[in-house]
Amino acid sequence: MMLTVLAYSMVVVFMFLIMTKRLPALVALIIVPIVFGLLGGFGAQLGPMMLAGIKSLAPTGVMLMFAILYFGIMIDAGLFDPIVRKILQLVQGDPMKIVVGTAALAMFVSLDGDGATTYMITVSAMLPLYKRLGMSRLILACVIMLAGGVFNILPWGGPTARAASALGVDVGDIFVPMILPMAVTVAWVLFVAYVLGKKERKRLGTVSMETRVAAHQAPGASVLKPALVELPVAAQMNGTTGQWAAHAGGAGLANNIYAIPGNRTDTPAAGAGTSASVRDAVTSGAEPDITVSDPATARPRLIWVNFALTAVLMGLLIKGVLPLPVLFMIFFAIAIMINYPKLQDQKERIASHAANVLPVVSLIFAAGIFVGILQGTKMVDAIALSVIAAVPTWMGPYLAIVTGFLSIPFTFFISNDAFYFGVVPILAKAAAVYGISAAEIGRASIIGQPVHLLSPLVASTYLLVGLSEVEFGDHQRYTLLWSITAAIVMLVAAVVFGVIPFMGHA
């Protein structure tokens, strides 16, 4: 009982400290578990526990480090420029379309089953647009995570395979019936993106950009620091907090709409003024300057080589030919030699991405201490047993539904391995008495995946918040409710389609 209280207290204190910004996630992941480990009398064993946790996450840390470097090289070389250009043509400066497009792109990339890859590609493509239009980066991280959470139940994504292995059933028996509920949840995520996008459109207005604007871009230049007309704005939004601050001296135009040469029309947010430099550009007829990233790093002639290299990497990743850390290390080495054969250029590219690598990898190893103490002290087992013991007997016939609901907090507070190999088999054994099959319990157990990705135990989440330039606690507060609704929608759809039985039979 004491261990259970200690376990819940540790998780609650950790969440409180990071969500109220008392401590950064890096420090909280290290200090909080050590303090509670000492309070529990595990002082002598903490060293080996922490080392074991760090070792368990070391491959993930190595993978993320070289994955960031690999995709950083691809971004520098301009591999994703055509995607951004196409997005610019489709969204036409409409925040609503940008948010929905973010969700759709994340879903497409998530088909490879790897969250880190999804985050790096989607954020790399979309973040410049969010920054340029002053859109909230919390929305960017939110919709990407919602999309990734839904597609995380793919057989090669991890949780479904774990559930099948733990229950001794075929992966197809769990996943195939979940395709329809998954499709419904995809529609829900797109709807959420539409709602969030509408709010951004109402707050910011719309910037319509004809495709010819992109044509002004310097040949071969990368657009990830977007090749958009440089518009001095009359107000600015903090992408992390979502707070909008108007600049002094802004003056509005008639109907709050102004035209810009190159067939571009800007509709500023209500209350936002128009800067003098923009009005001058409009009245003088001068073509506005275009801001692009350093063309010295772009390699447009190698775009198909880089595309082929990335396609091979994704294929090998899906097939599991080599461990992920090894794959990214090998392909990073190949990519940097092909695109930047000079030694000095290679050093510069690695140094330029060090600021992205360090925060993410340091968080991964800090999380190793948290995981190591949580598992080594058996706190994770105490949490699992306490929840199972709390399920009353009368809920027995409804254990499939109960499992679906339990998967939401369980996969948040404990690791997927602990849940699927430690808890799910116990629930399945109890459910069998009421005629609920192991496959049905397996389907219910993957319902909580949209919420799971918000867990501090998920390494790739630190990559997402780092790339999106938001705080971990802010991201959790903003996304948690939407993630829970996505899980509930999936559960309801599964029950409606008969994939998960509402009630078993003895």
Side-chain angles (χ1 to χ4, degrees):
M1 179 63 182
M2 185 62 185
L3 189 60
T4 303
V5 173
L6 196 68
Y8 280 113
S9 299
M10 185 178 83
V11 174
V12 170
V13 169
F14 170 77
M15 298 301 298
F16 172 78
L17 289 174
I18 64 171
M19 295 185 78
T20 59
K21 298 186 179 180
R22 262 48 173 206
L23 284 178
L26 177 64
V27 177
L29 283 167
I30 298 171
I31 297 299
V32 173
I34 291 176
V35 170
F36 278 88
L38 292 173
L39 290 175
F42 298 99
Q45 296 84 37
L46 287 183
M49 289 178 189
M50 291 186 285
L51 187 58
I54 293 171
K55 287 180 178 178
S56 69
L57 290 183
T60 301
V62 173
M63 184 272 289
L64 289 178
M65 180 173 72
F66 283 96
I68 293 171
L69 289 173
Y70 175 83
F71 284 104
I73 295 301
M74 292 296 107
I75 292 166
D76 291 339
L79 174 62
F80 303 109
D81 289 359
I83 297 175
V84 176
R85 292 192 187 101
K86 187 64 178 177
I87 292 172
L88 286 173
Q89 294 173 7
L90 294 175
V91 302
Q92 292 291 295
D94 185 345
M96 185 274 289
K97 292 180 181 178
I98 290 174
V99 178
V100 174
T102 301
L105 178 61
M107 290 174 184
F108 175 76
V109 181
S110 292
L111 290 172
D112 76 343
D114 180 60
T117 304
T118 299
Y119 299 155
M120 282 182 284
I121 292 177
T122 309
V123 175
S124 298
M126 303 305 296
L127 181 60
L129 295 176
Y130 280 74
K131 284 185 171 182
R132 192 67 197 87
L133 298 183
M135 295 174 62
S136 171
R137 297 190 294 274
L138 288 173
I139 292 179
L140 170 68
C142 174
V143 295
I144 292 175
M145 179 155 286
L146 288 177
V150 175
F151 280 78
N152 201 39
I153 71 171
L154 291 171
W156 50 88
T160 303
R162 286 182 175 91
S165 300
L167 297 173
V169 299
D170 187 76
V171 173
D173 291 338
I174 293 178
F175 174 71
V176 174
M178 287 295 292
I179 292 177
L180 281 177
M182 182 179 173
V184 173
T185 314
V186 165
W188 171 254
V189 171
L190 291 174
F191 173 74
V192 170
Y194 171 79
V195 170
L196 296 177
K198 288 276 284 185
K199 289 182 179 179
E200 285 294 273
R201 177 199 280 174
K202 183 178 180 180
R203 182 174 65 83
L204 297 173
T206 301
V207 179
S208 298
M209 296 170 287
E210 297 296 335
T211 56
R212 77 170 71 180
V213 173
H216 294 309
Q217 178 183 322
S222 173
V223 297
L224 285 174
K225 290 181 180 177
L228 305 182
V229 178
E230 185 62 34
L231 287 178
V233 295
Q236 189 171 17
M237 194 274 295
N238 185 315
T240 298
T241 64
Q243 297 298 313
W244 180 264
H247 290 178
L253 289 181
N255 299 323
N256 217 22
I257 297 176
Y258 50 88
I260 292 183
N263 289 341
R264 171 171 166 156
T265 302
D266 277 44
T267 307
T274 307
S275 64
S277 57
V278 173
R279 292 197 307 274
D280 292 343
V282 174
T283 56
S284 67
E287 196 70 36
D289 294 332
I290 296 172
T291 303
V292 296
S293 61
D294 185 1
T297 64
R299 299 292 186 265
R301 295 181 180 179
L302 295 175
I303 189 168
W304 288 110
V305 174
N306 289 327
F307 175 80
L309 191 65
T310 304
V312 172
L313 171 60
M314 294 297 102
L316 295 177
L317 183 150
I318 293 172
K319 290 184 177 180
V321 175
L322 288 172
L324 289 182
V326 176
L327 276 177
F328 276 110
M329 290 175 74
I330 294 172
F331 277 80
F332 160 71
I334 295 173
I336 198 169
M337 286 192 298
I338 291 175
N339 289 279
Y340 307 101
K342 295 181 179 179
L343 179 61
Q344 185 59 35
D345 291 341
Q346 293 178 6
K347 290 180 178 180
E348 290 177 358
R349 290 302 89 218
I350 293 173
S352 69
H353 296 291
N356 293 328
V357 172
L358 181 60
V360 175
V361 176
S362 61
L363 278 169
I364 298 306
F365 289 116
I369 291 180
F370 190 94
V371 172
I373 292 177
L374 190 67
Q375 294 180 346
T377 58
K378 305 299 181 183
M379 289 186 192
V380 64
D381 297 334
I383 292 175
L385 292 175
S386 69
V387 176
I388 293 174
V391 178
T393 306
W394 64 267
M395 282 190 177
Y398 308 97
L399 269 176
I401 301 293
V402 170
T403 300
F405 278 110
L406 288 179
S407 69
I408 297 174
F410 258 129
T411 56
F412 181 88
F413 289 114
I414 65 177
S415 68
N416 269 343
D417 286 335
F419 177 62
Y420 288 107
F421 293 106
V423 177
V424 173
I426 297 174
L427 293 171
K429 186 175 181 179
V433 177
Y434 300 95
I436 301 173
S437 70
E440 289 168 336
I441 291 295
R443 295 166 203 156
S445 70
I446 61 177
I447 293 294
Q449 287 307 303
V451 179
H452 165 70
L453 293 183
L454 277 174
S455 170
L457 302 177
V458 178
S460 60
T461 302
Y462 299 110
L463 174 64
L464 174 62
V465 298
L467 294 176
S468 301
E469 301 175 12
V470 299
E471 292 294 329
F472 186 79
D474 292 337
H475 172 57
Q476 283 188 319
R477 282 198 305 271
Y478 189 88
T479 309
L480 182 58
L481 182 60
W482 294 117
S483 296
I484 292 174
T485 61
I488 292 175
V489 166
M490 185 181 292
L491 178 59
V492 171
V495 173
V496 170
F497 288 119
V499 174
I500 296 173
F502 179 76
M503 183 177 180
H505 55 276

